[in-house]
Amino acid sequence: MLPRSIPRLSKVWIPSGGFAVPGVEDAHSKLVRAGFLRQSHAGIFHMLPLGKRVQDKVERLVAKHMEESLAASRVSLSSISSEALWERSGRLPNIAPELFRFPDRKGSAYLLSPTHEEEITYLVAQTVRSYKDLPLRLYQITRKFRDELRPRHGLLRGREFIMKDLYTFDTDLTSALDTYEKVRAAYSRIFNDMKLPVLAAKASSGDMGGDLSHEYHLPSPFGEDNIITCGSCDYIINEEIATTKVAHEICQADHVGVWRAITKDRSTLVNVWYPTRTIRTNTGQVREYTNSDINIYAIKPLVPDLDASVSDATEFWAAATEGPDATAKQLVNLFDSRLPPSFSDSSKGSASLPMWPDTVKSGASTLHVQCHGSSTNGGKPLNFLRIRKGDNCPQCSSGTLNVQKAMELGHTFHLGTRYSQPLGAKISLPPPSSSEAKPSTGDSGTSKTVSMQMGCHGIGISRVIGAVAEHLADDKGLNWPVAIAPYTCIVVFAEDNYDDAVEVYKRILNGIGDQDERLDIILDDRQKSLPWKLKDADLIGAPVIVVLGREWRIARRVEVQCRRLNINEVIDVNNLPSFIAELHLRL
């Protein structure tokens, strides 16, 4: 028997699903089959021992950088929040459909927090009073809850998930922006430690608030977001706010299409007129477009209440124009800047263009008609088509754009006073010196009270696990980076080599020791055949597999396998520690 102090897979509960794979298997299915997790309910998962080890390692890595790079203090906020706080911040109406809400026995309204801006701001507001207490950095790693309408892709879009939140509090805008850049640098180090090619893309702040944010995306064909990058400059941006140069494209009058949408309150029909065929004046390149190329994000600033979930607006619009409860009020026409000027000018009053759907009765034509020209109030050309590979970069003169699918792993926001002001998180600044201008109150020598400048910065721990699994999995199984692998090295051997496996284990441990704190070895002593263990080690995704097979019996040499680096070498046992240490650095 092996000593109890040596880690053994026979002592770990790994409910493997076997090796038969029905059809094409995605990474989430591999996580289930390899025994990392099981679904509890729709969008909710139990983490099993292997999954919990990965989760713990991601958490430890993130916590290390929060504390060492940013001097942040760890807290643990309650998962239950008061709806009253969310009403004070003004966020409750917009986010209500995604919340798990419940009353207590006294009828007080509570919710399960999807995020903690309100709670942390209220906590700090009750505690911090002076500029001397700032800057303040507080972070937590905790469970969050969001009632997703359609949970999907396993851990990538769940209703319960693990999240790291960092909340920062500063005295002024300059300090807050400096903190923001330090957080961005820390995020780069975190993802570099995982050897992940993460892109930091400018992004919309959405309901979170503030006017500066970045998303951290892992390029992947399985991603839900489109990230736009330039091949010649540092332009990296989410498709939601990306732009492109359209000045070199023209459209003929007979190559015009219309895409119809409707507002959520069913009061407004939106016609988006766009080019179905364009010609680039500088290259002569012809491009074809259809309704599927419409960019919803470019339309929403002009029609904030747009219902993007409706695929056929005419059906809803027909109902909105009939009966005593008809909601239809106006028609909005939007014109892409590439359309001929004569088109948009004549269409404002033209009866020949199909402004109204065929299914709408003529009485609807008495509604108010509103038109938007081919440029915004700021003078920028309106472009209602999604960016394609090869479009011109708006930031540099020579670059062309690339479009990549990607999975979001984190998000940083500069919030300013979005939450500190309504929730009363204020500090007193010192009185100005005699050489400084008097404070705004006009009272010489008195202190000034201001709202704290805030930032919030998240990393989805659960999403990292699901995204890394998807990014690195192959047809044999999962393939973890050393930094977060459940075990960085599995020693596989036949049943009659127990004592030899212990010797190899000790040689590796003693040879590397404290040189690599990530070293995490385990022996596969399960009562299975050697081929079965090798397949299971591949499925589990161990970065390094050490095999005691035929070469061990002949010359006391081991076979070292590293699928990610395409390595399969026979190594003398004396050289094994240094060889594994080198692999760890590359993985």
Side-chain angles (χ1 to χ4, degrees), residues 240-258:
E240 292 186 23
I241 59 173
T243 58
T244 183
K245 292 177 182 176
V246 296
H248 299 299
E249 291 185 85
I250 59 173
C251 168
Q252 303 296 329
D254 56 345
H255 292 135
V256 177
V258 60

Side-chain angles (χ1 to χ4, degrees), residues 90-111:
R91 257 208 309 182
L92 188 60
N94 290 337
I95 202 171
E98 298 181 2
L99 298 175
F100 287 103
R101 306 166 71 178
F102 61 94
D104 66 6
R105 65 179 65 191
K106 297 179 181 179
S108 299
Y110 292 95
L111 56 88

